[in-house]
């Protein structure tokens, strides 16, 4: 089927990034495309072939296949394919096959490159290498978006309500202002200062109407405003409350308290408050501020590895303070010990949802009688962590479990046994323990253990093969029809799990890469970068995987920050519908990269390719 240039133009106008072109530009771009009809079952291009250009599906369905013929994506009308190869020296990194009679629009490679160089929105859409982005600005009031500062869904009252009723609302909600609305429209603002100056000081009764003492038609700002707009308005007008409104519909409010809280919520201050805490209750009050810290860090544009590192630092400080408090209570330890974290804390990847995973390594001089001390120490620390929001590990992977509170000799035997007999349980335990990171105590106890274990494990081909197999069990949420495979039932129906189907597959690939290269880093991104430098992962494949991981991890953090801002508990389950078509397209591409790298790892070629 031949498609005319005018039809191509109209078709592209509804697809991003072509909708960013001016009308005359789009007409010119559409003229660069040519339509091709591909019969059912025919190969459009093979892995490693020189690409003719960028493909956009006009009609029909295309199946994208990995190196071993495995399905990595099934695409329909308006979907694009071939761009990854064009960005990687022009050679296909997957294969593409027509599932039925397909009409595609082909933008020649030369024209694709010209648009990449001459049209920034087009370049932004197809460029996934986020490492070249400028360093984020510091988290300051001046450059934060208003939506990161405001309290959402502000409490309000009617202008006909009495001042007494309004005062009770202020008291019950522990707030300093009320938005006054009539039929959903903002008509005024009532603050505690208004009640003090205009009611109490004026000798008016508590039955006075709010309409008579409120500030009518208050100054507002739109959600597109930034922190400096709020500061300037407050300074210029001498006010302490600024409603945020879309037209006359209030969506939030920014107060001086909000601004003060932003200044107070940085990781260094939280670490300081934890270090100075004298009770577990004081520590819990500090860690309760972590969700807002996450919101501010994400809102300021910090990269995901910065956000998770800063949040993990707080968990580390909390653990060390609890260890110090335990020693103050129990006395000095009978032998040297080392407290280690595994899981997300071990990898320095904690986000808005975290349980605790930890263990104790004891000097070989420890006796059975000494265990009473370390049992009490473990219970004190784990109970304290739970009180601070780091809930008990559902799998009992904690130092309170005697199995995970052992001497160095026993730990060596654990690792040796798991490596020599890599059954499913051994693989799971090894996966957890390869993420160990010292937190408090004598770190010398771990140095040789880690190096010896990595060396021993990397030389056992059967164990490595089992770990590779284990690393591809978590599949990215790619569906054959709509781009994403969402959960089919339960509380999170029609959502995707950004942890187990998003970041975990990359975490597993990073762990296997570290194992093969005897890399001591435990942070996933650091592992991938080191593996790429050592040739464990190819340059192009490694960069693709790092870019994909960056996008998935940042999508997860943005999702959690969005929940926190709306007053909800952060989780890892996101509906794809909250994303724009632009965001969905890139997230789908990231999942395709992960699946392709999993296929490479599981296909006997390792991660090279």
């Amino acid at each position: 089927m031949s498609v005319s240039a005018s039809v191509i133009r109209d078709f592209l106008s509804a697809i991003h990034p072509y909708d960013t072109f001016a009308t005359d530009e789009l007409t010119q771009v559409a003229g660069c495309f040519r339509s091709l009809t591909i019969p059912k079952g025919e190969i459009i291009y093979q892995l490693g072939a020189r690409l003719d250009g960028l493909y956009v599906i006009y009609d029909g369905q295309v199946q994208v296949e990995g190196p071993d013929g495995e399905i990595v994506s099934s695409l329909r009308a308006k979907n694009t394919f071939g761009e990854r190869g064009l960005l990687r020296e022009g050679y296909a990194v997957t294969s593409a096959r027509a599932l039925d009679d397909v009409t595609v629009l082909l933008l020649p490679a030369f024209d694709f490159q010209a648009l990449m160089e001459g049209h920034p929105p087009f370049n932004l859409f197809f460029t996934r290498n986020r490492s070249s982005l400028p360093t984020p600005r510091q988290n300051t009031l001046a450059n934060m978006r208003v939506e990161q500062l405001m309290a959402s869904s502000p409490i309000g009252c009617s202008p006909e309500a009495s001042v007494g009723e309004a005062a009770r609302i202020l008291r019950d909600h522990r707030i300093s202002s009320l938005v006054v609305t009539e039929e959903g429209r903002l008509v005024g603002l009532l603050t505690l200062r208004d009640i003090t100056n205009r009611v109490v000081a004026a000798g008016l009764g508590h039955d006075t109407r709010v309409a008579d003492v409120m500030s009518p038609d208050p100054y507002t700002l739109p959600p597109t405003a930034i922190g400096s707009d709020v500061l300037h308005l407050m300074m210029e007008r001498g006010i302490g409350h600024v409603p945020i409104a879309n037209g006359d519909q209030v969506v939030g409010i920014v107060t001086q308290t909000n601004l003060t809280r932003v200044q107070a919520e940085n990781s260094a201050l939280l670490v300081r408050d934890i270090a100075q805490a004298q009770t577990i209750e004081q520590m819990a009050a500090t860690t309760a501020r972590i969700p807002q810290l996450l919101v501010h860090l994400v809102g300021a544009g910090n990269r995901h590895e910065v956000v998770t590192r800063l949040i993990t630092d707080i968990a580390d400080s909390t653990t060390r303070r609890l260890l110090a408090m335990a020693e103050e209570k129990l006395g000095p330890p009978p032998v040297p010990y080392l407290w280690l974290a595994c899981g997300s804390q071990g990898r320095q990847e904690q986000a808005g949802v975290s349980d605790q995973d930890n263990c104790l390594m004891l000097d070989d001089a420890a006796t059975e009688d000494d265990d009473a001390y370390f049992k009490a120490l473990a219970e004190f620390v784990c109970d304290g962590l739970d009180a601070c929001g780091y809930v008990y590990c559902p799998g009992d992977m904690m130092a309170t479990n005697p199995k995970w509170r052992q001497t160095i000799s026993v730990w060596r035997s654990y690792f040796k046994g798991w490596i020599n007999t890599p059954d499913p349980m051994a693989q799971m335990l090894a996966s957890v323990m390869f993420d160990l990171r010292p937190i408090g105590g004598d770190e010398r106890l771990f140095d040789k253990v880690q190096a010896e274990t990595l060396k021993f494990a990397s030389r056992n081909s059967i164990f490595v093969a089992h770990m590779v197999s284990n690393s591809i069990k978590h599949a990215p949420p790619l569906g054959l029809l709509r781009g994403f495979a969402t959960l089919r039932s339960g509380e999170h129906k029609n959502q995707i799990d950004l942890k187990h189907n998003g970041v975990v597959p990359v975490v597993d690939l990073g762990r296997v890469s570290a194992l093969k290269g005897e890399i001591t880093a435990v942070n996933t991104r650091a592992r991938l970068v080191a593996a790429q430098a050592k040739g464990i992962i190819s340059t192009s494949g490694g960069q693709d995987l790092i870019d994909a991981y960056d996008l998935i991890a940042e999508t997860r953090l943005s999702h959690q920050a969005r929940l926190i801002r709306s007053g909800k508990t952060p989780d890892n389950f996101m509906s794809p519908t909250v994303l724009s078509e632009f965001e969905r397209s890139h997230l789908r591409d990231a999942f395709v990269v992960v699946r392709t790298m999993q296929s490479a790892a599981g296909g006997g070629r390792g991660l090279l390719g």
Side-chain angles (χ1 to χ4, degrees):
M1 177 175 66
S2 178
V3 185
S4 68
S6 61
V7 172
I8 292 176
R9 180 199 59 208
D10 294 342
F11 178 76
L12 294 176
S13 67
I15 305 174
H16 197 73
Y18 307 99
D19 58 356
T20 64
F21 288 88
T23 302
D24 56 341
E25 291 177 323
L26 182 58
T27 299
Q28 184 177 357
V29 170
C32 297
F33 280 85
R34 69 176 189 268
S35 61
L36 301 172
T37 298
I38 315 294
K40 179 179 179 180
E42 185 169 315
I43 298 295
I44 301 173
Y45 58 72
Q46 290 276 20
L47 173 71
R50 189 75 182 180
L51 286 166
D52 294 328
L54 180 75
Y55 295 85
V56 181
I57 303 174
Y58 182 81
D59 184 56
Q61 188 174 2
V62 172
Q63 182 170 286
V64 178
E65 301 172 355
D68 293 318
E70 73 284 359
I71 300 172
V72 296
S73 188
S74 187
L75 309 176
R76 291 181 178 273
K78 297 186 178 181
N79 287 152
T80 298
F81 61 101
E83 69 274 18
R84 284 182 57 221
L86 292 173
L87 294 171
R88 296 295 182 193
E89 302 180 353
Y91 292 94
V93 295
T94 56
S95 299
R97 178 195 306 271
L99 287 184
D100 43 35
D101 291 342
V102 175
T103 300
V104 296
L105 306 178
L106 175 66
L107 178 66
F110 175 83
D111 295 307
F112 173 81
Q113 295 299 339
L115 289 175
M116 289 292 289
E117 295 173 8
H119 194 73
F122 189 89
N123 183 293
L124 176 63
F125 182 81
F126 289 107
T127 302
R128 288 194 306 269
N129 187 353
R130 302 159 67 88
S131 62
S132 62
L133 294 177
T135 302
R137 296 171 295 178
Q138 293 299 308
N139 186 12
T140 65
L141 288 176
N143 59 36
M144 290 187 70
R145 299 191 303 273
V146 159
E147 65 178 16
Q148 312 297 331
L149 300 170
M150 71 183 189
S152 302
S153 303
I155 305 299
C157 69
S158 163
E160 298 304 316
S162 69
V163 170
E165 292 174 318
R168 285 189 289 273
I169 295 173
L170 292 170
R171 178 200 63 193
D172 294 344
H173 290 275
R174 298 182 179 181
I175 53 178
S176 60
S177 64
L178 292 174
V179 294
V180 184
T181 59
E182 190 171 42
E183 297 181 352
R185 182 174 60 87
L186 177 67
V187 296
L189 186 70
L190 182 71
T191 68
L192 283 174
R193 179 183 295 181
D194 293 331
I195 293 177
T196 300
N197 294 340
R198 300 175 184 175
V199 180
V200 178
L204 299 179
H206 63 79
D207 57 349
T208 301
R209 292 189 319 148
V210 166
D212 296 331
V213 293
M214 69 182 186
S215 298
D217 301 319
Y219 296 104
T220 65
L221 286 172
T224 55
I226 59 176
S228 58
D229 296 327
V230 177
L231 289 169
H232 294 166
L233 183 58
M234 285 184 171
M235 294 297 181
E236 182 179 354
R237 301 298 179 180
I239 56 178
H241 302 76
V242 179
I244 308 301
N246 262 326
D248 56 9
Q249 302 296 310
V250 184
V251 296
I253 189 166
V254 180
T255 70
Q256 290 179 335
T257 300
N258 297 133
L259 303 186
T260 302
R261 184 178 295 117
V262 170
Q263 292 174 313
E265 302 300 4
N266 69 65
S267 59
L269 290 179
L270 267 66
V271 167
R272 181 204 64 186
D273 291 347
I274 287 169
Q276 296 177 353
Q278 297 302 309
T279 66
I280 291 176
E281 290 73 20
Q282 291 174 345
M283 296 170 67
T286 299
T287 55
R289 292 153 53 190
I290 291 176
Q292 286 304 317
L293 173 65
L294 184 147
V295 169
H296 299 323
L297 291 173
V298 172
N302 290 283
R303 294 176 62 87
H304 70 92
E305 69 268 26
V306 174
V307 176
T308 55
R309 172 64 182 270
L310 294 175
I311 290 177
T312 304
D313 285 348
I314 298 168
D316 293 353
S317 297
T318 302
T319 304
R320 285 190 287 269
R321 181 66 187 118
L322 287 167
L323 286 169
M325 293 170 69
E327 290 189 22
E328 292 170 7
K329 177 182 178 181
L330 302 172
V335 297
Y337 73 89
L338 179 62
W339 186 281
L340 302 101
C342 45
S344 60
Q345 184 183 0
R347 296 189 304 273
Q348 295 179 302
E349 294 167 5
Q350 286 192 319
V353 185
S354 298
D355 58 6
Q356 55 175 292
D357 299 280
N358 47 62
C359 65
L360 267 174
M361 289 186 175
L362 311 178
D363 189 276
D364 280 335
T367 65
E368 290 186 10
D369 292 339
D370 294 332
D371 187 60
Y373 176 93
F374 291 109
K375 178 177 182 293
L377 179 139
E379 289 176 347
F380 183 92
V381 175
C382 290
D383 288 347
L385 288 171
D386 181 72
C388 291
Y390 305 100
V391 298
Y392 298 119
C393 173
D396 202 22
M397 188 72 68
M398 299 182 294
T400 50
N401 184 337
K403 185 173 183 178
W404 311 127
R405 188 177 67 246
Q406 296 291 343
T407 62
I408 295 297
S409 295
V410 172
W411 277 104
R412 281 194 168 99
S413 69
Y414 281 169
F415 284 115
K416 187 175 182 179
W418 295 334
I419 294 167
N420 285 334
T421 312
D423 58 29
M425 180 57 70
Q427 294 172 42
M428 185 276 291
L429 294 173
S431 295
V432 172
M433 293 304 171
F434 274 125
D435 295 346
L436 286 174
R437 183 172 60 87
I439 303 298
D442 191 343
E443 294 191 13
R444 294 173 298 180
L445 296 175
F446 184 62
D447 290 341
K448 289 185 178 180
V449 175
Q450 183 186 36
E452 290 172 1
T453 302
L454 281 173
K455 185 175 182 179
F456 183 49
S458 66
R459 284 158 174 69
N460 188 314
S461 59
I462 296 177
F463 175 75
V464 172
H466 278 278
M467 289 295 289
V468 169
S469 176
N470 189 61
S471 73
I472 60 178
K473 289 182 177 178
H474 292 96
L478 286 168
L480 293 180
L481 300 179
R482 294 181 298 163
F484 294 105
T486 58
L487 299 173
R488 296 182 178 180
S489 60
E491 179 184 359
H492 302 292
K493 183 179 179 181
N494 298 326
Q495 297 175 327
I496 56 178
D497 187 339
L498 289 170
K499 178 181 178 181
H500 290 102
N501 300 116
V503 298
V504 167
V506 188
V507 169
D508 291 339
L509 290 172
R511 187 183 297 114
V512 170
S513 302
L515 173 62
K516 289 186 173 184
E518 298 181 38
I519 297 167
T520 57
V522 292
N523 176 265
T524 297
R525 199 178 194 280
R527 280 172 164 171
L528 295 175
V529 171
Q532 186 183 30
K534 296 186 72 169
I536 305 301
I537 308 177
S538 67
T539 300
S540 60
Q543 191 59 60
D544 270 351
L545 187 57
I546 291 168
D547 293 343
Y549 178 57
D550 286 344
L551 181 59
I552 295 167
E554 288 175 11
T555 299
R556 179 191 181 204
L557 285 179
S558 296
H559 163 70
Q560 293 186 354
R562 186 164 52 244
L563 290 177
I564 294 168
R565 288 197 303 271
S566 62
K568 300 176 182 177
T569 302
D571 61 27
N572 295 300
F573 300 95
M574 183 192 74
S575 170
T577 59
V578 305
L579 303 177
S580 66
E581 182 178 344
F582 174 91
E583 293 168 323
R584 287 196 299 272
S585 177
H586 281 287
L587 185 60
R588 184 199 69 214
D589 287 347
F591 288 142
V592 168
V593 169
V594 176
R595 178 176 285 182
T596 301
M597 295 299 285
Q598 285 183 322
S599 298
R605 299 181 311 284
L607 293 174
L608 291 169

